CSV table of all heavy atoms in Angstrom, one decimal:
chain,number,residue,atom,x,y,z
A,3,GLN,N,30.3,-20.2,-27.2
A,3,GLN,CA,31.6,-20.5,-26.7
A,3,GLN,C,32.5,-20.8,-27.9
A,3,GLN,O,32.1,-21.5,-28.9
A,3,GLN,CB,31.5,-21.7,-25.8
A,3,GLN,CG,30.8,-21.5,-24.4
A,3,GLN,CD,30.8,-22.6,-23.5
A,3,GLN,OE1,30.7,-23.8,-24.0
A,3,GLN,NE2,31.0,-22.4,-22.2
A,13,LYS,N,57.8,-23.9,-36.4
A,13,LYS,CA,59.2,-23.5,-36.9
A,13,LYS,C,59.1,-22.3,-37.9
A,13,LYS,O,58.1,-22.3,-38.6
A,13,LYS,CB,59.9,-24.6,-37.5
A,13,LYS,CG,60.3,-25.8,-36.5
A,13,LYS,CD,61.1,-26.9,-37.2
A,13,LYS,CE,61.4,-27.9,-36.2
A,13,LYS,NZ,62.2,-29.1,-36.8
A,56,SER,N,28.3,-15.3,-43.9
A,56,SER,CA,28.0,-15.7,-45.4
A,56,SER,C,29.3,-16.3,-46.1
A,56,SER,O,29.2,-16.6,-47.2
A,56,SER,CB,27.5,-14.5,-46.1
A,56,SER,OG,28.3,-13.5,-46.1
A,91,ASP,N,55.8,-13.6,-35.2
A,91,ASP,CA,54.4,-14.1,-35.1
A,91,ASP,C,54.1,-14.8,-33.8
A,91,ASP,O,53.0,-15.3,-33.6
A,91,ASP,CB,54.2,-15.0,-36.2
A,91,ASP,CG,54.2,-14.4,-37.6
A,91,ASP,OD1,53.5,-13.3,-37.8
A,91,ASP,OD2,54.9,-14.8,-38.5
A,116,TRP,N,34.8,-14.4,-26.8
A,116,TRP,CA,36.2,-14.7,-27.0
A,116,TRP,C,36.6,-16.1,-26.6
A,116,TRP,O,35.9,-16.7,-25.7
A,116,TRP,CB,37.1,-13.9,-26.2
A,116,TRP,CG,37.2,-12.4,-26.5
A,116,TRP,CD1,36.2,-11.5,-26.3
A,116,TRP,CD2,38.2,-11.8,-27.2
A,116,TRP,NE1,36.6,-10.2,-26.8
A,116,TRP,CE2,37.9,-10.4,-27.4
A,116,TRP,CE3,39.5,-12.2,-27.7
A,116,TRP,CZ2,38.7,-9.4,-28.0
A,116,TRP,CZ3,40.3,-11.3,-28.4
A,116,TRP,CH2,39.9,-9.9,-28.5
Side-chain angles (χ1 to χ4, degrees):
Q3 293 183 319
K13 294 182 179 179
S56 60
D91 294 308
W116 289 77

